Amino acid sequence: MSSVPERGEIDEQYKWDIDDIFTDSDEWEAAYTEAESLIEELESYESDTTNDPETLLDVLKLAEEMMRTVANVSAYARMRSDEDTREQRYQALSTRAQSLASSAGSAAGFIEPDLQSLTREELDDMIEAEPDLEQYEHYFDDVLRMKPHTRSAEVETLLADLSEVTGAAGEVYTMLTNADMEFPAVDDPNGEPVRITLSNFTTLQKNSDRAFRQTVYEAFYDEWETIRNAVGTAYKNSVTADVKSARAHHYETARAAALDSANIPPAVYDSLIETVNENLDILHRHAELKRNALGVDELQMWDVYTPLTEGESPEVPYEQATEYVTEAVAPLGEEYQSRLAAGLDSRWVDVYENVGKRSGAYSSGTYDTQPFILMNYQDDISSLFTLAHELGHSLHTQLTSEAQPYIYGNYETFVAEVASTVNETLLTHHLLETVEDERFRRHVLDEYLERFRSTLVRQTMFAEFEHHTHEIVEDGGALTPDRLDELYGDLKRTYYEPAVVDERITREWMRIPHFYRAFYVYQYATGISAAVALVNQLLNHDTDTDKYLQFLQSGSRAYPLDLLRETGVDMARPAPVKSAFSTYEEYIEEFEQLI
């Protein structure tokens, strides 16, 4: 049987170096204790924040020290738990860290209501009296902007205390699907049993044997049916928590609340969905191309991931992948390229799947640590692109942390997905220009077409789904598994019109973990649109590398739409999304000519 190794069987060079945060549990415990002391100290300032400029500065600095310590404690615990979700010891650390973060949020809950008791003129006077407050200018503007949606210090503290509970649905979902759920083994085309996992499902769906793909597809979604009520209940509670939290902060909708944190108008979300729906004929053209390439009468759901190319993906060992990505980012300058190479040599990446490891991929780390990347690398082109994607996040994190003070040392997801997708787009250009093997080139082109399908279109479909699910709850309706199946199935039929939408695919909503972070996924679609526009500008010399690097170094010093406008991309208009569809169509035409 094809088996996933235990973590201890994987060489250390392919594991991230979390000892960079804490060398052992004693250090972690010491940091945990320090954070508790900082929380207690900050609580002593309640109601005194705005007494005078010096006190305000002291409170802000103390809150930053507390949050930095809590971030390190939380990151370590979460990543250790993600290494093997079955490990009770690290589950316990993660639970304690979540509780600590909730306490820290509660302790800091009085700061913004206190600031909102001041006028802009009073804050300006404080800055004039204490120049070190000047770095908080944009932060102060943002706090005052949110005044209509900020409750009293007492209420904000209570809501922060409840965050552990209101976020429980996502935690339950993660443990259920990663630690408890086990998919069956099926025989591969050679008669060898292979275990289906969350990480390898998509890879198995790319197998050239159609009967095998169907077997995997049916076994996978039949297993989801066995936990249908549990997942349905988790998602219903997650949506309900979003709605109640939004109402507690005087928002009309959960979507408005989620988007307002980054000052993104709901019109941007609506424009994305509208523009994508207007261009679904390009997705349908892609689906028809796939049906013709496969030589089938009907495109089934187990055909959707199948490559347009012959056979499975060419093998791309991890070491080769690191070379490709490093070479691909050369247009971003020598400094960016050398930083990326150094990160790969510094064990940023936890490379391979192991038993119990969290599925998927992400980039993590804190203001005070090196970046960390979780992968489940599968030695294929898809994993190569995922590596490029996550490295984009990691370099963004590193450049921001070095260039900005802590208050702006993070960045909104809206711009994060631009940085990651720029790397994917550059990788595509590099591989198509430098790799001579025609089979490899066709696979690269097919992979990038799939990125358009899954990132630009599929994520927008997800965004439309969550918008509707939250509207149902906001209107007093019930989110039952049957209703969710119906809603998801209707969207699937609209988006994938040329394909057969069967009963099993209507359960696909159950396997999307991002739904537990509501109104997040649309940013993948806006991200790829902005990234394609930026790469076109860079390669055509319509913008320079320094301007893009300044964007990566900006953190949250300004709002996302404004930061992107400084690069020449305006995501408040439909033009970048339309342009992305034009590029998508150009690649489809190129592939049509190849076959």
Side-chain angles (χ1 to χ4, degrees):
M1 176 181 293
S2 173
S3 60
V4 176
E6 294 288 343
R7 187 162 184 84
E9 299 175 67
I10 297 174
D11 193 287
E12 289 297 310
Q13 66 176 317
Y14 299 115
K15 299 176 185 177
W16 51 21
D17 185 15
I18 298 183
D19 289 346
D20 180 68
I21 307 178
F22 300 113
T23 57
D24 54 38
S25 58
D26 289 341
E27 277 196 12
W28 186 88
E29 291 289 353
Y32 188 98
T33 301
E34 180 186 358
E36 289 181 315
S37 298
L38 292 169
I39 289 170
E40 185 177 349
E41 184 180 355
L42 182 63
E43 289 173 334
S44 70
Y45 279 92
E46 188 166 357
S47 302
D48 296 334
T49 311
T50 57
N51 284 355
D52 54 71
E54 292 75 23
T55 301
L56 174 56
L57 182 62
D58 287 344
V59 168
L60 292 174
K61 286 185 173 180
L62 179 58
E64 289 179 5
E65 184 182 2
M66 175 191 72
M67 289 301 188
R68 288 170 75 166
T69 305
V70 170
N72 291 336
V73 166
S74 298
Y76 180 88
R78 183 183 66 253
M79 288 190 287
R80 283 296 189 210
S81 178
D82 287 348
E83 290 175 349
D84 187 345
T85 58
R86 304 167 303 169
E87 179 56 65
Q88 298 293 311
R89 176 171 48 127
Y90 292 129
Q91 284 185 33
L93 291 188
S94 185
T95 299
R96 289 175 60 198
Q98 290 172 20
S99 179
L100 184 72
S102 178
S103 297
S106 299
F110 67 88
I111 297 176
E112 294 188 1
D114 282 358
L115 285 171
Q116 288 165 349
S117 70
L118 301 175
T119 65
R120 179 70 249 191
E121 291 73 21
E122 289 171 326
L123 275 170
D124 288 340
D125 290 342
M126 284 194 167
I127 292 171
E128 185 175 353
E130 175 50 79
D132 284 349
L133 287 171
E134 188 173 356
Q135 67 174 309
Y136 296 96
E137 281 267 19
H138 176 65
Y139 169 70
F140 292 151
D141 284 341
D142 198 37
V143 170
L144 293 180
R145 180 181 69 83
M146 299 294 286
K147 185 174 181 177
H149 304 290
T150 305
R151 304 293 296 272
S152 68
E154 181 181 6
V155 173
E156 288 295 341
T157 298
L158 175 62
L159 292 172
D161 280 339
L162 289 173
S163 64
E164 226 179 321
V165 177
T166 56
E171 185 180 359
V172 169
Y173 174 83
T174 297
M175 297 309 299
L176 177 66
T177 57
N178 286 274
D180 295 339
M181 196 175 185
E182 184 175 7
F183 295 94
V186 296
D187 288 343
D188 69 15
N190 297 319
E192 295 293 327
V194 57
R195 175 74 61 185
I196 303 170
T197 69
L198 288 173
S199 295
N200 72 9
F201 170 69
T202 300
T203 300
L204 297 176
Q205 285 290 275
K206 296 177 182 179
N207 191 282
S208 60
D209 189 300
R210 197 179 192 215
F212 174 66
R213 294 199 305 270
Q214 181 178 355
T215 299
V216 170
Y217 172 86
E218 292 176 351
F220 182 75
Y221 282 109
D222 285 349
E223 191 63 34
W224 282 104
E225 178 68 11
T226 66
I227 58 169
R228 169 186 183 77
N229 293 314
V231 176
T233 300
Y235 185 59
K236 175 198 70 175
N237 287 329
S238 180
V239 173
T240 302
D242 296 335
V243 171
K244 290 186 179 298
S245 176
R247 288 175 176 167
H249 288 101
H250 304 308
Y251 285 100
E252 290 187 6
T253 66
R255 186 182 69 162
L259 270 60
D260 198 33
S261 65
N263 200 20
I264 304 295
V268 172
Y269 199 101
D270 291 332
S271 177
L272 169 69
I273 291 174
E274 182 181 349
T275 306
V276 168
N277 273 271
E278 289 173 352
N279 288 275
L280 284 178
D281 60 307
I282 299 175
L283 172 66
H284 299 164
R285 183 175 174 181
H286 187 187
E288 279 297 297
L289 175 64
K290 184 163 293 193
R291 185 186 67 78
N292 290 329
L294 292 174
V296 296
D297 293 332
E298 293 181 317
L299 192 74
Q300 299 287 344
M301 284 295 116
W302 52 84
D303 299 322
V304 169
Y305 288 99
T306 314
L308 286 165
T309 52
E310 69 285 356
E312 297 181 8
S313 167
E315 185 174 344
V316 185
Y318 177 69
E319 284 74 12
Q320 180 64 70
T322 63
E323 290 182 22
Y324 281 143
V325 177
T326 304
E327 293 166 357
V329 298
L332 301 183
E334 185 178 346
E335 180 187 358
Y336 185 98
Q337 189 178 37
S338 62
R339 282 174 176 269
L340 186 144
L344 290 168
D345 289 339
S346 300
R347 290 175 58 194
W348 285 6
V349 187
D350 201 77
V351 180
Y352 296 114
E353 181 181 8
N354 59 254
V355 176
K357 185 177 179 180
R358 175 176 171 157
S359 63
Y362 64 68
S363 174
S364 185
T366 74
Y367 187 79
D368 297 302
T369 72
Q370 69 176 38
F372 294 97
I373 296 172
L374 180 136
M375 289 282 296
N376 283 274
Y377 195 83
Q378 299 286 325
D379 285 344
D380 57 16
I381 286 178
S382 178
S383 292
L384 163 63
F385 273 81
T386 300
L387 178 64
H389 180 102
E390 301 304 338
L391 282 165
H393 287 313
S394 292
L395 266 293
H396 193 182
T397 297
Q398 187 181 67
L399 289 166
T400 290
S401 296
E402 292 179 2
Q404 297 296 330
Y406 177 79
I407 192 67
Y408 307 128
N410 208 333
Y411 44 79
E412 297 289 347
T413 303
F414 196 91
V415 293
E417 294 308 324
V418 177
S420 57
T421 315
V422 161
N423 278 18
E424 290 183 23
T425 307
L426 287 172
L427 177 64
T428 303
H429 280 275
H430 171 71
L431 294 173
L432 292 177
E433 289 177 0
T434 61
V435 176
E436 296 182 358
D437 183 275
E438 284 301 320
R439 176 172 171 266
F440 193 98
R441 289 166 57 82
R442 287 194 294 273
H443 274 275
V444 168
L445 187 55
D446 179 58
E447 176 66 28
Y448 199 51
L449 285 176
E450 283 297 295
R451 294 274 159 171
F452 273 108
R453 181 191 67 79
S454 63
T455 306
L456 178 58
V457 185
R458 187 170 186 253
Q459 299 299 332
T460 302
M461 183 186 73
F462 289 165
E464 194 168 353
F465 174 76
E466 354 177 61
H467 183 36
H468 291 323
T469 58
H470 284 75
E471 283 184 322
I472 289 170
V473 172
E474 286 161 351
D475 291 340
L479 277 187
T480 64
D482 285 347
R483 182 71 183 93
L484 290 164
D485 284 355
E486 179 187 7
L487 175 61
Y488 194 87
D490 288 345
L491 285 171
K492 199 77 175 180
R493 291 182 190 93
T494 298
Y495 277 73
Y496 288 84
E497 184 179 286
V500 176
V501 176
D502 63 274
E503 178 186 356
R504 287 184 176 88
I505 200 62
T506 64
R507 306 169 197 158
E508 188 179 34
W509 60 270
M510 287 193 277
R511 78 176 188 95
I512 311 301
H514 286 56
F515 287 158
Y516 295 84
R517 185 178 175 184
F519 304 108
Y520 173 90
V521 295
Y522 85 99
Q523 296 164 115
Y524 288 116
T526 56
I528 192 173
S529 301
V532 169
L534 270 169
V535 169
N536 287 339
Q537 290 178 6
L538 285 165
L539 296 181
N540 293 331
H541 306 291
D542 294 332
T543 190
D544 56 44
T545 300
D546 288 342
K547 186 176 291 188
Y548 178 67
L549 293 181
Q550 287 168 9
F551 164 74
L552 295 182
Q553 293 167 343
S554 297
S556 56
R557 68 163 177 81
Y559 296 118
L561 290 180
D562 294 332
L563 291 174
L564 280 169
R565 287 190 184 106
E566 291 177 11
T567 71
V569 176
D570 188 354
M571 291 306 301
R573 299 179 179 275
V577 180
K578 291 181 178 179
S579 178
F581 268 105
S582 294
T583 302
Y584 183 22
E585 190 169 29
E586 288 172 11
Y587 278 118
I588 290 174
E589 290 173 354
E590 183 173 343
F591 206 99
E592 285 173 339
Q593 293 172 5
L594 284 176
I595 63 173

